[in-house]
Amino acid sequence: MKTIFDRKLYLVGLKKIKLVGIICGILLIVCNALVPVASLVSGMMNGGNDEATLTASNYAVASPLLLLLVPMFFLSMFSFLNHRNESDFYHSIPFKRTCILGSFTAAIFTWVFGILFASLLLNGVLYAADPAIHFSLLIPLQLFAFFAFVSLYVGSFVLLAMTLTGTTVSNCAVSLILFFFVRIISAITIEMVESLVPILDVAYSPLRFMSTRYWLPAATFRIYYDLSVFRDVSLWVYSAVVLVALYALSVWCFCRRKSESAGKSAVNRGLQHAFRCAFTLPLALLTVFGVMEGAGAAFAVVMILVTLMFYYLYELVTVKKLRQTLLSTPFLLVPALCCALIVGGCYLTRGAVLEQSFTADQIESVRFYNHRDFWGVFDTTYTYELTKTDGISVSDPEANEIIANALDDNIRMVRTNDFNQYYVDHYYVDSRNQYVEIQLKSGRKVRRQLRIPQTDINRVEKLRQASDAYREVFLQLPSDGEINSITFGDQDILTSEGDQNRNIRDLWNTFVAEYEALSDEEKLAYKNQYALYRTGYFDVDGLTAELYFNVSGTLYDSYGSSPFETRYFIPSEFERTRSLYAEYTQPVRDEVRQVIQNFVDGKYDTLFDGSDKPTTSFFNFSGNGLWNGVAIYPSEYYENESYRSSGMNGTANAAPDVLVTNAQNDPEAGKEFFRMLLPYLTDTPEDNSYLYFWFSVVDDGTGRHYNTIFGLSGDMPDELKNALDGNWYDVPDASVYPYK
Amino acid sequence: MIQAENVTMKFDDFVALNQLNCSIPDGCVYGLVGSNGAGKSTFLRLISGVYRPAEGKIEIDGHAVYENPDVKKQIVYIPDELYFLPQASMNRMAKLYAAVYETFSYERFTHLTQTFGLNPTVNINTVSKGMKRQAATILALAAQPRYLYFDETFDGLDPVMRNLVKNVIYNDVVERKATAIISSHSLRELEDTCDQLALLHKGGIIFESDIQNLKTSLFKVQVAFSDTYGKERFDGFEMLDYTQKGSVATFIARGDRDAFREKLEDMRPLLLDILPLSLEEVFLYEMEALGYAFKDVL
């Protein structure tokens, strides 16, 4: 054990970075505690917070700060690698170098993990102080595991940089180079390749691991929103391999490192040249890329000057000797040569890709697959059906012929540089970018991004959908194991009766049971018509937008996780589901109807009590204040986006508060004041029934009076129309969301 | 016993030590003398395991030093440029040494601190260079290693402290049978401290000897005869340097002093005086005998 760890040396390490640990600890813990403290204070000032269940985004939001703090620990602990006398001391003490490295690294991560744990624990305690907040211990534990791993990951880069250099400046510079160099170079290279060969899908090229999705630091932005990042096996395997490799390399370098390297910019001149050239190469490559893309001579000149400046600046700052800086001039050839090699490689790739065209006879099968956003931090989301059928190919001569021809057309376009022009001219008209995997009879697989006429795409899709394999998968609904969350289109109204989540789950289970009872043809019809991606609002066969499940979850394949999200509408054929919905929402609808009736009966004469304030009793029912329940929108806020947002996310009391404020400030007589939506007036939820109230303030010289005008839209019950006795206006163009 | 065999150490193109051989017995104070860049510090770093020799081997009691904690725990190396933890007091440093060296004695640390009159609670980085040297020496001696390496340790010490440091080192060697290796570019610093002395020049030990032998084996002879004579009169004597002014001849001789006196008295000289040499003079003549110009070496 003394070979890699010694308890006494570990304690020495803990003390050595005590100051950094305390400062960083206070910084992180305080930053992380701000959110729960603010929540707690806000709750105390407002008479208590609303009931809420915490998600990952509530916890330790400042934890990514840890990524900046971890290098501080390493710089402090291994500072002896930068100072000769200190270096001699630690190299002379009776411990193996692996033991020094292991014990000190363990000390660093004791501090880091301790601080992280303390901040998460404090968050938990602070949240627990608020009785309205429910939290699960699992989430902070998951976050702890995640950030602990990320800390190890970041630390590996810094440690390697420190073993290769001998001054603080070069420590930092090389850490940044190691951390970003490969990604920057590959990013520019990929851009070059995509520019030269737009039909190549780099997301599946050997450079795939340079995708942002495989970069752990980027995942820190995902973790708060998507805990499924834990199930992204490829991300973890890739990161673990990088981490282990870097630590292994660090150990090797540390053990071979000479004590006299302390104080030098790099442990040897070769590495100094390499770091300087690596520091410069991205700029040089950008210059070349810019010129390739048609940037002018001015751009080239400026970029060359900037590149030279960075080149010499790096040497001057790290070595601090002008003569040596000037002597490094001949090595400028290295970045130039690297640029030439990379550009040459890109052109070779272009040549190779454009040579690959196939006849229909050579093709075994084709499939359209979902595009992966190479640079996106978050995964691209498709519907469950698209995600599930992603792997289904079609083996048909007609489809093979279409794709073979499309590939030929695309290659020709690339060769003649017509590709982008075609995109501009025809993209929205008759074709679209389609990602196609071509399985050749030889066993090879080729992935291409092709511009294909929409009619051809439809033909291939039709052939694909005709296959049993496709249909079997397409007709499935997401299983419980695949679902992360189910929300209901108008779930707020379900809140009023019992547990919302339980009600939604009951509705979903009923829906699934009804769906499974359908024949395959009926299922197919349903899926084609009612299973949709969340793009805007829907008006399907007059169905109100509120009646749908929003189902999201994650599927996994060799590439990693694939999030999905689908809206499943509940058409009238699903009688049991609708009936259950009506049952759950009946109390709210009863309340709403009562409100209407009260209006009709003139019971709201005291809607305003003379003080420009609405009576609170009017608003005190379950559905009130919800943006698509019963809402009151002061006209001043009518087009105000921020209000709309707050209304959408607001609590039941938000709207009256706003209204009161606004009523007090209402300036002009005769101006439209506010209106309200009152849906769910009937027992049949599909009815598009809305009652609008316009209240206007009239000042007739004797005082301020409030006029009320009623407006109706949709199929209002005759009894209501009669009760209003003609005092209403038809609102023929009112949509489900009339404020839009 | 420390054994160095054909040790070569290079820094890029610069050869700091070249095929160095030496053997340092246990229980002695071994002096390393040489000009700047002679390789003294490099040699000390090699025998303390800071460096790995490019060629050759360095062993203590037959075991390699580099990356060998069992051997290194018997060694404390006090470099020319001292290291103390930032803002550390001697007490804080004592804890560090105690964590690193199993043999560290707080009792001895306290005793030595009192002997030197240092305040162990004061931030070491705020005290004078000489006091830092004393602090480093105290810490090293309190660790009670078998081997103590001091690189230019007497630099910055006033004469009183220099003697005190020499005494405590000497006592340590005598009482605990420890071995101390002290490097210095000044021969006078080592003259009254070391048992053995090695002269390093351009990466090699060009001369190594027991100091007592050195001092007694060479001596200066002044002799005069009534008749006319020349150098040939002393044929058969081992002489390193010979000068004659008139009837008085002066030369440096090597050998047994009493036997020399007896032989010369048999020659009935008018004047005979045999004088001891300072260590520096001994080195001067030994170097010249080896073909080195002493002023170039030290």
Side-chain angles (χ1 to χ4, degrees), chain A residues 2 6 8-9 11-12 15-16 18 79-80 84-98 100 254-260 264 267-269, chain B residues 9-12 45 48-52 66-75 77 79 81-86 92-93 95-102:
Chain A
K2 291 253 175 176
D6 179 83
K8 285 183 177 175
L9 201 57
L11 294 174
V12 166
K15 286 179 191 168
K16 192 169 186 285
K18 187 170 66 179
S79 63
F80 67 86
R84 183 62 184 273
N85 57 341
E86 209 177 337
S87 176
D88 282 356
F89 175 80
Y90 284 103
H91 285 115
S92 71
I93 58 176
F95 295 98
K96 280 190 172 289
R97 293 189 178 203
T98 47
I100 296 172
F254 187 82
C255 291
R256 288 179 58 87
R257 184 190 161 97
K258 293 172 181 171
S259 183
E260 67 269 22
K264 293 180 181 173
V267 294
N268 59 54
R269 284 301 295 164
Chain B
M9 188 68 196
K10 294 176 184 172
F11 300 105
D12 297 326
R45 287 190 177 104
S48 52
V50 175
Y51 291 163
R52 185 212 300 259
Y66 186 79
E67 280 290 85
N68 188 343
D70 288 337
V71 172
K72 285 170 82 173
K73 68 185 174 189
Q74 303 175 55
I75 300 168
Y77 165 54
E81 282 184 59
L82 301 170
Y83 166 68
F84 300 104
L85 291 166
R92 170 78 184 84
M93 287 302 297
K95 284 181 185 168
L96 172 63
Y97 272 69
V100 170
Y101 296 100
E102 294 167 358

Side-chain angles (χ1 to χ4, degrees), chain A residues 73-303:
Chain A
F73 282 98
F74 274 89
L75 287 170
S76 175
M77 179 66 90
F78 291 102
S79 63
F80 67 86
L81 296 175
N82 297 339
H83 303 100
R84 183 62 184 273
N85 57 341
E86 209 177 337
S87 176
D88 282 356
F89 175 80
Y90 284 103
H91 285 115
S92 71
I93 58 176
F95 295 98
K96 280 190 172 289
R97 293 189 178 203
T98 47
C99 184
I100 296 172
L101 187 71
S103 305
F104 281 1
T105 305
I108 288 175
F109 286 111
T110 302
W111 272 105
V112 171
F113 296 167
I115 291 169
L116 185 60
F117 183 78
S119 68
L120 286 163
L121 185 68
L122 182 65
N123 271 29
V125 169
L126 289 170
Y127 279 128
D130 188 340
I133 304 293
H134 310 289
F135 67 88
S136 153
L137 191 61
L138 186 64
I139 296 173
L141 285 176
Q142 283 178 309
L143 286 177
F144 176 81
F146 177 81
F147 280 106
F149 190 86
V150 174
S151 305
L152 287 167
Y153 183 83
V154 172
S156 66
F157 287 89
V158 183
L159 182 60
L160 180 59
M162 292 194 76
T163 60
L164 296 174
T165 54
T167 65
T168 308
V169 171
S170 54
N171 290 161
C172 297
V174 174
S175 293
L176 290 172
I177 288 170
L178 292 177
F179 205 69
F180 292 110
F181 176 75
V182 175
R183 297 204 164 261
I184 292 175
I185 295 301
S186 55
I188 301 171
T189 306
I190 285 166
E191 288 297 319
M192 278 185 180
V193 170
E194 285 187 331
S195 170
L196 288 170
V197 215
I199 59 171
L200 186 68
D201 182 7
V202 289
Y204 287 89
S205 73
L207 291 169
R208 62 185 282 189
F209 285 104
M210 291 302 108
S211 161
T212 315
R213 62 178 295 116
Y214 291 112
W215 199 34
L216 202 55
T220 56
F221 298 100
R222 280 170 60 190
I223 186 74
Y224 292 120
Y225 303 98
D226 183 13
L227 282 172
S228 70
V229 75
F230 280 102
R231 294 170 67 184
D232 203 334
V233 178
S234 304
L235 168 70
W236 294 107
V237 169
Y238 170 74
S239 302
V241 167
V242 170
L243 186 145
V244 169
L246 289 181
Y247 275 112
L249 199 55
S250 300
V251 172
W252 189 76
C253 292
F254 187 82
C255 291
R256 288 179 58 87
R257 184 190 161 97
K258 293 172 181 171
S259 183
E260 67 269 22
S261 299
K264 293 180 181 173
S265 55
V267 294
N268 59 54
R269 284 301 295 164
L271 274 176
Q272 174 67 12
H273 292 312
F275 293 145
R276 186 179 56 252
C277 292
F279 193 71
T280 317
L281 184 57
L283 285 167
L285 207 52
L286 271 178
T287 309
V288 175
F289 186 41
V291 171
M292 282 169 62
E293 290 291 291
F299 168 83
V301 170
V302 169
M303 285 300 290

Side-chain angles (χ1 to χ4, degrees), chain B residues 133-149:
Chain B
R133 284 251 161 243
Q134 293 168 45
T137 307
I138 290 168
L139 289 164
L141 293 170
Q144 305 187 108
R146 272 183 67 198
Y147 299 95
L148 286 150
Y149 306 153

Side-chain angles (χ1 to χ4, degrees), chain A residues 522-537:
Chain A
E522 288 170 328
K523 285 180 180 173
L524 191 63
Y526 172 83
K527 283 270 185 155
N528 279 327
Q529 192 169 5
Y530 295 121
L532 302 162
Y533 184 60
R534 52 175 180 92
T535 50
Y537 299 98

Side-chain angles (χ1 to χ4, degrees), chain A residues 305-321:
Chain A
L305 289 175
V306 169
T307 307
L308 288 173
M309 188 184 78
F310 271 77
Y311 182 86
Y312 287 117
L313 206 59
Y314 180 89
E315 187 71 1
L316 197 60
V317 168
T318 55
V319 178
K320 298 187 182 72
K321 289 176 186 166

